[in-house]
């Protein structure tokens, strides 16, 4: 992945750059708004990370300008502003995701992967397949090895999300936001409970485990 | 509106002034009337005295016969100007005049017609006379004049004055109503502005109505205060934002360093993991505090929409049913058939319902029955979470809500103890009432939205 990082705090920038490079990605870095704007217009990046509070040109204005300039690169906001309105402001300005500082690297990495352009996936697909697990989106049925597995509505949505992002790490927060539309931190283990139930239905009776726990990060579905 | 008018200071003040003026004016008019009446009577008496003096002078020049002749002449005219004459000799025998049997008196007297004898030719209106007498050479002459004309005059005067007074009173009242209404309108404008500001629109000000009176001065003061309030809240938000930034950045760095550390042994690795968890706990707590403060400050209100309570509860139920069951509780969601719309923020209301359900799950020793309900109480949409757990004793319920218990005594791992405060803040933002009750047994928390 080619990543453009627009972040003025040196230590954070180092941290992100090092982490992403270690994971095999290429990182371009701009330390202020105007420079970042110019580099973004390039259009060669798979995803952008934009800090909200930048010297010279604040993150939201930057993103708004990029969108007006028809830049379609997915953008992840990084922000020390965690106010109730701030996330919505960021998304309305044209951002695709919003991560509040402090964040864990695993969270950042998972979200970037989810955002970056993935050529294979087409939205017209009506069947999702991972190994011998098949999900028919039209008929709302799930089978594994030919056997039909009955799922509750929310379990279906959870599995669908896992399958759509198969091979990627999905954090708890991402699951809460995308499967349940919860934008707060629950104090009980909602995600774990549902993953466990899903596992009981689609993994336990079979040989191969498809749902994996990624320690310190989240979950991932893959063969 | 009628009641408000009568209670308005402007109206009451005007009414009081009108009454006071009327009373004073009435007193003045009464005094004037009495004075005028006294004067009129004086005039009548003066006429009588003058007549007496004339007749005395006549007697001196023309003698007794002249007097009698004059009296007879006057009597003939008297019927038109209603004067009475009585001339008696020393022994009381009537010599001339149209009146008899006027008693002896000192100086003057007012006699009524039926107590004396008068000729019928006298004007029938003349029923009261003021009389004076004098002694002329052994004779007693009494002259009197009727008071009826004077009476008529003073009656007319009284009527005019009464009419004037009534007019004054009515005008005063009418004016009072006008002033009262205008004042009431201006006060309503001020109240409307203050209500809008209390609802969160801090930029509102009382409009300038171009008058330079007391209310205008109050309005100016109010506007100044509102301006200061707006600036204060702005700076508060700014401080919150600054604090957020100032706290987050060092915590971010702390976290980053911990994450990048390469521990050499299992023990150190564990220490680092726990330190990261603690850093996250710090963040979660001040994030929640910040969020509560913003919600209390009215954030998100502008984005309110019509949302269906049933949908929100069903999404919460679908998430937590499994969690509750895993803990050994039974969970049920009870909603009516038709949608229950409220005006508010979907995310915040979801968090509210989730918080309440999670509270029940975490604070009930198993097994308990937890119910999430949506219902209409008359036309008030309500959301309720009830459990059969230990509940909260009645006296503590007040404290929990009123003092905004920010720090729960029973604080567990990732919980920051602010759940109920968040619920209260969200409820307040939506203008909803939060109530804690006894579920007999257990706790029931009800959120009642305004209709």
């Amino acid at each position: 992945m080619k990543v453009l990082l627009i972040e003025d705090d040196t230590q954070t920038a180092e941290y992100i750059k090092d982490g992403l490079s270690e994971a095999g990605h290429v990182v371009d870095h701009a330390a202020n708004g105007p420079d970042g704007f110019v580099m973004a217009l390039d259009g060669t990046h798979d995803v952008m990370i934009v800090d909200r509070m930048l010297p010279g040109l604040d993150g939201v204005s930057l993103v708004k300008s990029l969108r007006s300039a028809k830049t379609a690169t997915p953008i992840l906001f990084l922000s020390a502003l965690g106010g109730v309105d701030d996330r919505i402001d960021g998304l309305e300005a044209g951002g695709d995701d919003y991560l509040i500082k402090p964040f864990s690297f695993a969270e950042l990495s998972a979200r970037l992967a989810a955002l970056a352009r993935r050529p294979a996936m087409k939205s017209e697909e009506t069947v999702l397949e991972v190994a011998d697990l098949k999900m028919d989106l039209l008929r709302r049925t799930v089978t594994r090895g030919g056997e039909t597995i009955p799922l509750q509505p929310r379990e279906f949505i959870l599995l669908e999300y896992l399958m759509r992002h198969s091979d990627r790490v999905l954090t708890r927060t991402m699951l809460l936001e995308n499967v349940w539309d919860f934008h707060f931190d629950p104090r009980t283990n909602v995600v774990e409970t549902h993953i466990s139930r899903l596992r009981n239905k689609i993994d336990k009776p079979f040989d191969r485990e498809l749902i994996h726990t990624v320690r310190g990060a989240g979950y991932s579905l893959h063969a | 509106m009628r009641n408000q008018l009568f209670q308005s200071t402007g109206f009451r003040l005007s009414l009081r002034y009108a009454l006071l003026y009327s009373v004073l004016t009435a007193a003045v008019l009464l005094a004037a009337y009495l004075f005028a009446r006294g004067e009129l009577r004086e005039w009548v008496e003066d006429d009588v005295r003058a007549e007496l003096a004339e007749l005395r002078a006549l007697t001196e020049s023309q003698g007794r016969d002249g007097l009698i002749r004059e009296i007879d002449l006057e009597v003939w005219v008297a019927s038109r100007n209603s004067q009475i004459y009585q001339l008696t000799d020393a022994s009381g025998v009537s010599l001339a005049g149209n009146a008899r049997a006027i008693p002896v008196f000192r100086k003057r007297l007012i006699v009524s017609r039926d107590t004396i004898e008068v000729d019928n030719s006298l004007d029938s209106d003349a029923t009261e006379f003021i009389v004076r007498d004098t002694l002329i050479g052994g004779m007693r002459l009494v002259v009197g004049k009727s008071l009826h004309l004077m009476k008529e005059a003073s009656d007319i005067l009284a009527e005019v004055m009464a009419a004037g007074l009534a007019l004054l009173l009515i005008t005063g009242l009418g004016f009072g109503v006008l002033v009262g209404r205008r004042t009431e309108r201006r006060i309503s404008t001020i109240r409307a502005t203050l209500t809008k500001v209390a609802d969160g629109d801090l930029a509102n000000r009382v409009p300038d109505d171009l008058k330079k009176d007391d209310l205008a001065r109050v309005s100016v003061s109010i506007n100044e205060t509102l301006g200061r309030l707006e600036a204060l809240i702005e700076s508060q938000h700014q401080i919150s934002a600054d604090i957020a930034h100032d706290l987050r950045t060092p915590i971010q760095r702390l976290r980053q360093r911990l994450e990048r550390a390469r521990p050499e042994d299992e023990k150190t690795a564990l220490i680092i993991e726990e330190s990261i968890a603690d850093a996250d706990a710090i963040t979660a707590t001040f994030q929640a505090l910040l969020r509560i403060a913003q919600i209390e400050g009215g954030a998100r209100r502008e984005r309110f929409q019509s949302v269906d309570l049933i949908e929100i509860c069903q999404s919460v139920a679908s998430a937590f049913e499994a969690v509750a069951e895993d803990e050994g509780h039974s969970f049920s969601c009870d909603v009516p058939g038709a949608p229950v719309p409220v005006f508010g923020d979907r995310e915040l209301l979801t968090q509210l319902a989730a918080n309440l359900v999670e509270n029940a799950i975490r604070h009930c020793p198993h097994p308990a029955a937890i119910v999430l309900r949506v219902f209409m109480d008359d036309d008030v949409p309500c959301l309720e979470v009830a459990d059969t757990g230990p509940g909260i004793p009645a006296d503590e319920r007040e404290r929990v809500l009123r003092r905004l218990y920010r720090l729960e005594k029973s604080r567990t791992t990732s919980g920051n103890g602010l759940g109920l405060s968040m619920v209260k803040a969200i409820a307040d933002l939506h203008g909803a009432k939060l109530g804690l009750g006894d579920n007999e047994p257990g706790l029931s928390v009800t959120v009642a939205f305004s209709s």
Side-chain angles (χ1 to χ4, degrees), chain A residues 9 11 15 18 53 80 83-85 89 101-105 154 184 186-188 193-194 197 215, chain B residues 245 248 252-253 255-256 259-260 273 283 287 291 294 300 303 318-320 322 326 354-355 358-359:
Chain A
D9 181 56
Q11 199 194 351
Y15 169 70
D18 288 349
M53 320 231 281
V84 281
D85 285 319
D89 286 343
K101 291 183 193 176
F103 56 87
S104 72
F105 191 81
R154 199 57 75 173
F184 56 88
R187 291 165 297 149
T188 55
T193 307
H194 285 268
R197 294 212 170 181
R215 188 135 175 239
Chain B
H245 186 252
R248 286 185 204 282
Q252 172 65 28
R253 295 195 194 174
R255 224 185 169 286
Q256 278 164 195
E259 268 191 352
R260 301 183 81 177
E273 211 177 288
T283 308
Q287 167 74 345
R291 210 173 151 95
Q294 288 180 334
R300 286 286 191 97
R303 290 201 162 98
S318 79
F320 292 100
D326 277 3
N355 264 5
E358 285 189 310
N359 268 354

Side-chain angles (χ1 to χ4, degrees), chain A residues 70-219:
Chain A
K70 304 282 191 254
T71 309
T73 320
I75 297 176
L76 174 85
F77 267 113
L78 217 54
S79 172
L81 291 178
V84 281
D85 285 319
D86 295 316
R87 197 181 131 265
I88 297 184
D89 286 343
L91 296 180
E92 273 181 5
D96 296 285
D97 204 348
Y98 200 92
L99 193 55
I100 304 176
K101 291 183 193 176
F103 56 87
S104 72
F105 191 81
E107 188 82 44
L108 175 70
S109 172
R111 284 175 187 263
L112 281 180
L115 277 185
R117 296 298 193 74
R118 204 178 158 185
M121 187 55 87
K122 276 187 243 151
S123 48
E124 299 95 46
E125 287 195 5
T126 57
V127 174
L128 298 171
E129 270 190 69
V130 175
D132 56 341
L133 181 66
K134 258 199 246 200
M135 173 181 275
D136 187 329
L137 293 168
L138 288 179
R139 285 202 222 109
R140 311 300 281 179
T141 56
V142 172
T143 61
R144 187 163 180 192
E147 232 181 278
T148 308
I149 305 174
L151 290 180
Q152 305 243 308
R154 199 57 75 173
E155 288 168 348
F156 189 91
I157 298 175
L158 175 59
L159 185 59
E160 184 185 345
Y161 186 69
L162 286 166
M163 290 181 81
R164 280 193 191 275
H165 295 273
S166 60
D167 285 321
R168 293 192 196 139
V169 175
L170 302 170
T171 63
R172 255 176 91 243
T173 322
M174 289 166 77
L175 288 168
L176 284 166
E177 282 175 17
N178 291 289
V179 176
W180 284 278
D181 205 14
F182 281 2
H183 297 273
F184 56 88
D185 228 341
R187 291 165 297 149
T188 55
N189 49 3
V190 185
V191 178
E192 287 80 352
T193 307
H194 285 268
I195 290 277
S196 157
R197 294 212 170 181
L198 196 59
R199 273 183 164 139
N200 282 344
K201 288 192 180 174
I202 71 159
D203 265 356
K204 251 213 15 252
F206 302 92
D207 287 334
R208 219 158 26 142
E209 192 188 50
L210 291 176
I211 298 179
H212 304 268
T213 305
V214 180
R215 188 135 175 239
Y219 303 95

Side-chain angles (χ1 to χ4, degrees), chain A residues 187, chain B residues 329 357-365 387 389-391 408 410 412:
Chain A
R187 291 165 297 149
Chain B
H329 306 301
V357 170
E358 285 189 310
N359 268 354
I361 293 175
R362 280 152 43 105
H363 297 151
C364 290
D387 63 61
E408 247 173 32
S410 54
T412 48

Side-chain angles (χ1 to χ4, degrees), chain B residues 201-320:
Chain B
D201 182 6
L202 292 166
N204 236 282
R205 297 288 180 272
V206 179
D208 185 15
D209 59 8
L210 300 171
K211 294 200 198 10
K212 294 278 177 273
D213 61 356
D214 292 2
L215 276 181
R217 281 205 294 272
V218 171
S219 303
V220 167
S221 292
I222 289 179
N223 281 348
E224 278 172 13
T225 308
L226 290 178
R228 257 178 276 144
L229 187 71
E230 189 178 15
L232 211 82
I233 292 187
E234 255 315 298
S235 79
Q236 224 181 35
H237 281 164
Q238 192 52 43
I239 290 173
S240 299
D242 291 343
I243 287 179
H245 186 252
D246 290 349
L247 277 179
R248 286 185 204 282
T249 309
I251 293 183
Q252 172 65 28
R253 295 195 194 174
L254 176 72
R255 224 185 169 286
Q256 278 164 195
R257 283 198 201 98
L258 286 171
E259 268 191 352
R260 301 183 81 177
R262 299 273 173 253
E264 304 206 321
D265 54 79
E266 197 58 43
K267 203 162 160 206
T268 318
L270 189 62
I271 291 176
I272 289 180
E273 211 177 288
E274 286 172 352
S275 304
I276 292 180
D278 282 337
D280 285 344
I282 296 174
T283 308
T285 302
F286 91 71
Q287 167 74 345
L289 282 170
L290 186 66
R291 210 173 151 95
I292 292 176
Q294 288 180 334
I295 292 172
E296 280 172 350
R300 286 286 191 97
R301 221 192 238 121
E302 293 157 3
R303 290 201 162 98
F304 273 14
Q305 295 175 350
S306 177
V307 295
D308 185 6
L309 269 188
I310 294 184
E311 272 176 33
I312 290 175
C313 287
Q314 283 172 336
S315 108
V316 167
S318 79
F320 292 100

Side-chain angles (χ1 to χ4, degrees), chain B residues 10 33 43 65 68 80 90 102 119 126 128 150 165 218 257 268 272 287 328 333 411 415 418 430 450:
Chain B
Y33 170 76
W43 290 353
D65 291 330
I68 292 177
R80 270 180 280 150
I102 298 178
D119 289 351
E128 254 191 332
M150 173 223 105
L165 192 64
V218 171
R257 283 198 201 98
T268 318
I272 289 180
Q287 167 74 345
C333 182
R411 219 180 317 175
L418 295 171
H430 287 77
S450 43

Side-chain angles (χ1 to χ4, degrees), chain B residues 19-221:
Chain B
L19 283 174
L20 185 67
Y21 256 23
S22 304
V23 166
L24 283 176
T25 310
V28 168
L29 287 179
L30 186 67
Y33 170 76
L34 290 173
F35 179 73
R37 218 167 70 141
E39 279 299 297
L40 283 171
R41 194 177 295 181
E42 271 293 306
W43 290 353
V44 174
E45 198 178 326
D46 283 350
D47 272 356
V48 170
R49 254 193 262 130
E51 181 74 1
L52 271 174
E54 246 185 63
L55 290 174
R56 172 182 279 276
L58 190 105
T59 315
E60 274 161 25
S61 63
Q62 294 185 16
R64 179 175 157 143
D65 291 330
L67 178 63
I68 292 177
R69 235 189 350 261
E70 185 61 33
I71 289 180
D72 286 342
L73 184 66
E74 293 287 357
V75 164
W76 184 66
V77 205
S79 54
R80 270 180 280 150
N81 59 26
S82 38
Q83 279 180 256
I84 53 176
Y85 298 85
Q86 175 183 280
L87 186 65
T88 50
D89 66 10
S91 43
V93 173
S94 175
L95 298 169
N98 55 3
R100 283 152 287 278
I102 298 178
V104 176
F105 56 85
R106 261 185 64 139
K107 271 217 157 157
R108 70 142 124 79
L109 183 69
I110 295 177
V111 289
S112 150
R113 186 172 173 148
D114 15 313
T115 58
I116 59 177
E117 280 175 46
V118 292
D119 289 351
N120 289 336
S121 56
L122 215 53
D123 191 337
S124 53
D125 281 338
T127 54
E128 254 191 332
F129 305 91
I130 187 161
V131 294
R132 286 183 76 98
D133 69 354
T134 187
L135 294 170
I136 312 176
M139 295 180 290
R140 179 176 175 239
L141 173 63
V142 181
V143 175
K145 194 160 172 146
S146 167
L147 291 170
H148 76 277
L149 283 173
M150 173 223 105
K151 277 245 181 81
E152 264 169 53
S154 58
D155 282 350
I156 290 176
L157 187 64
E159 274 165 36
V160 168
M161 284 179 170
L165 192 64
L167 192 66
L168 189 75
L169 201 63
I170 292 173
T171 324
L173 278 174
F175 200 62
V177 169
L178 263 172
V179 170
R181 262 218 283 224
R182 205 175 301 162
T183 315
E184 189 54 41
R185 239 178 279 148
R186 289 168 78 196
I187 291 180
S188 291
T189 311
I190 294 178
R191 287 184 69 209
T193 306
L194 290 173
T195 309
K196 272 189 231 153
V197 169
D199 274 346
D201 182 6
L202 292 166
N204 236 282
R205 297 288 180 272
V206 179
D208 185 15
D209 59 8
L210 300 171
K211 294 200 198 10
K212 294 278 177 273
D213 61 356
D214 292 2
L215 276 181
R217 281 205 294 272
V218 171
S219 303
V220 167
S221 292

